[in-house]
Amino acid sequence: MYRKLTATRIFNGYQYLPEGSALLVDENGRIVDVLPETEAGNEVEFFEGTLSPGFINCHCHLELSHLKGKIEKNTGLIDFLGKIMVERNATDLEISTAIASAESEMLQNGILAVGDICNNVNTITQKTKQHLFYHNFIEVAGFPEEMANPRFEKILEVYHQFKTHFSKSSIVPHAPYSVSTALLQKIVDFEDNNLISIHNQETIEETILYQQKSGGFADFYSRFNISMDSFEPKGKSSLQDILPQFKINQPLILVHNVFTEEADVQYAKSFYGDLISNLYFCLCPNANLYISNRLPNVEMLFNNNCNFVIGTDSLASNDQLCIYNEINVLKKHFPFIPMENLLQWATINGARALQVDDIYGSFEKGKTPGVLLLGEGVMRIV
Ligand SMILES: [Zn+2]
């Protein structure tokens, strides 16, 4: 039994299809054909709005879902991180209930695949229900060099627990301001790491730390007696400092990029060369507005043809987990970006970034990408 679907417009993951196109979908949600409506026979269902493949959320922290509404807005990143440390403890029931409800919110909002940051095993039980596809980014931090070995050994245990259930897991660094060269080296060299993600240039304090070894993070580390002895600033931006430690054939998702400058992008382009498609810039505009009321220079990134994907970040820094909402916020602040591009970032680009474009991200024969109806809101129809 096939369903035949058409709408005011169909976006196929790459572009809008010619008017009068239709989708043939089988009972398992598999795309059987994309063809002119006139060739689809009768019983074609018409929808008012845009049909789109399901959304890909490239950056989330499902395990922080119980922090929804707990952290005040516009505190800046350093205070935000301090509050996360204080507030993240809760009962197992509070944590697991919040995880389940955040996941069902994502499903409801048309998200099919998620790149999810994990510092612990709290999300495993929910994820084994396989309601959504997850790439688990098992995250490690530790700024003093002497912490590299113990922290890596500890995170390996978490990683192995994920790996028993899910093949798609990797070990990733938290941020340039929170990993040492030694720890980053261990992560990059870890044999199973085919995909890495890192929080990048989320705050100007990261730049100040890397250029002058001072500012908010230096204060933060001295307040908590965390040694900075092993860190030597080279006067470069954090991105230009750390990027040479990565391998150009190892796909990397840079998350946030609020303080990324054109010189950083130029540097990244020359570092990756022909393999620049391995570098993704993940935008999480609602989280940036929540934490610091500031957005990345999307115009500059766009003019430099950066490979964009979109994330929601966690409910600690967002009122909802909804990629369509992120798209609409980007559209509002950067109206020059065509909707076609924004949808591409949320679908095929995200699927490529998470290495699931054989299943998700576009209406192509054989894929099961989900079918969303976009209008005022988002509704999943397949
Ligand atoms: Zn994050």
Side-chain angles (χ1 to χ4, degrees), residues 268-279:
K269 280 183 176 175
S270 67
F271 179 68
Y272 279 87
D274 292 345
L275 294 177
I276 189 67
S277 62
N278 278 337
L279 186 68

Side-chain angles (χ1 to χ4, degrees), residues 243-254:
L243 217 44
Q245 293 176 65
F246 290 93
K247 298 174 183 163
I248 57 171
N249 59 359
Q250 196 173 42
L252 175 66
I253 303 174
L254 300 174

Side-chain angles (χ1 to χ4, degrees), residues 66-361:
H66 60 289
L67 297 182
K68 184 176 181 182
K70 293 243 167 81
I71 299 175
E72 62 188 281
K73 296 181 179 170
N74 297 323
T75 60
L77 184 68
I78 295 179
D79 281 0
F80 177 83
L81 294 172
K83 294 217 164 84
I84 293 265
M85 285 159 75
V86 174
E87 298 278 350
R88 75 180 294 158
N89 292 325
T91 66
D92 290 351
L93 183 64
E94 280 171 319
I95 291 172
S96 60
T97 309
I99 286 170
S101 104
E103 184 185 72
S104 72
E105 183 186 334
M106 282 201 275
L107 270 165
Q108 195 125 56
N109 291 331
I111 293 167
L112 271 77
V114 185
D116 193 46
I117 304 283
C118 313
N119 295 93
N120 55 52
V121 297
N122 290 350
T123 55
I124 288 182
T125 307
Q126 186 64 34
K127 286 171 178 171
T128 52
K129 296 177 184 167
Q130 296 187 325
H131 296 155
L132 285 171
F133 167 86
Y134 289 96
H135 186 107
N136 299 293
F137 293 116
I138 316 303
E139 184 182 74
V140 57
F143 199 57
E145 199 148 280
E146 60 272 23
M147 284 165 89
N149 281 330
R151 284 289 170 91
F152 195 79
E153 290 308 312
K154 206 163 167 220
I155 206 66
L156 261 181
E157 289 167 23
V158 178
Y159 171 81
H160 286 308
Q161 293 201 52
F162 273 91
K163 207 58 184 175
T164 8
H165 300 282
F166 319 103
S167 59
K168 300 278 195 161
S169 304
S170 33
I171 298 183
V172 304
H174 170 247
Y177 60 78
S178 64
V179 291
S180 62
T181 306
L183 182 55
L184 188 54
Q185 201 60 51
K186 290 183 93 65
I187 296 165
V188 170
D189 290 341
F190 184 58
E191 50 188 348
D192 283 347
N193 267 3
N194 300 318
L195 175 60
I196 296 187
S197 132
I198 186 168
H199 294 86
N200 176 58
Q201 297 174 305
E202 192 175 355
T203 164
I204 191 67
E205 298 298 343
E206 181 176 306
T207 311
I208 296 169
L209 177 73
Y210 267 76
Q211 285 177 339
Q212 301 157 21
K213 202 177 176 175
S214 62
F217 283 116
D219 295 347
F220 182 87
Y221 288 140
S222 80
R223 198 160 73 234
F224 289 95
N225 279 324
I226 296 168
S227 162
M228 295 211 306
D229 291 350
S230 54
F231 175 71
E232 263 328 306
K234 300 187 196 78
K236 297 177 185 170
S237 74
S238 54
L239 187 62
Q240 294 186 46
D241 192 318
I242 62 156
L243 217 44
Q245 293 176 65
F246 290 93
K247 298 174 183 163
I248 57 171
N249 59 359
Q250 196 173 42
L252 175 66
I253 303 174
L254 300 174
V255 181
H256 292 306
N257 314 301
V258 182
F259 290 88
T260 303
E261 293 184 8
E262 190 147 26
D264 298 324
V265 177
Q266 297 298 344
Y267 179 82
K269 280 183 176 175
S270 67
F271 179 68
Y272 279 87
D274 292 345
L275 294 177
I276 189 67
S277 62
N278 278 337
L279 186 68
Y280 294 91
F281 291 80
C282 182
L283 303 176
C284 306
N286 275 317
N288 303 147
L289 293 171
Y290 191 112
I291 295 171
S292 54
N293 200 23
R294 173 160 176 156
L295 290 170
N297 188 347
V298 177
E299 184 166 7
M300 178 279 290
L301 297 168
F302 184 71
N303 290 337
N304 275 285
N305 295 315
C306 290
N307 208 0
F308 289 105
V309 295
I310 299 177
T312 57
D313 216 343
S314 76
L315 283 174
S317 60
N318 204 333
D319 298 324
Q320 65 273 303
L321 301 180
C322 179
I323 291 293
Y324 196 45
N325 194 287
E326 304 294 328
I327 289 176
N328 287 326
V329 167
L330 287 168
K331 187 75 200 154
K332 182 178 146 205
H333 289 270
F334 308 101
F336 59 89
I337 303 173
M339 195 58 172
E340 214 168 19
N341 292 71
L342 294 167
L343 290 173
Q344 204 180 79
W345 305 350
T347 57
I348 190 65
N349 282 17
R352 281 180 179 150
L354 297 187
Q355 303 171 352
V356 288
D357 51 317
D358 54 333
I359 303 168
Y360 303 109

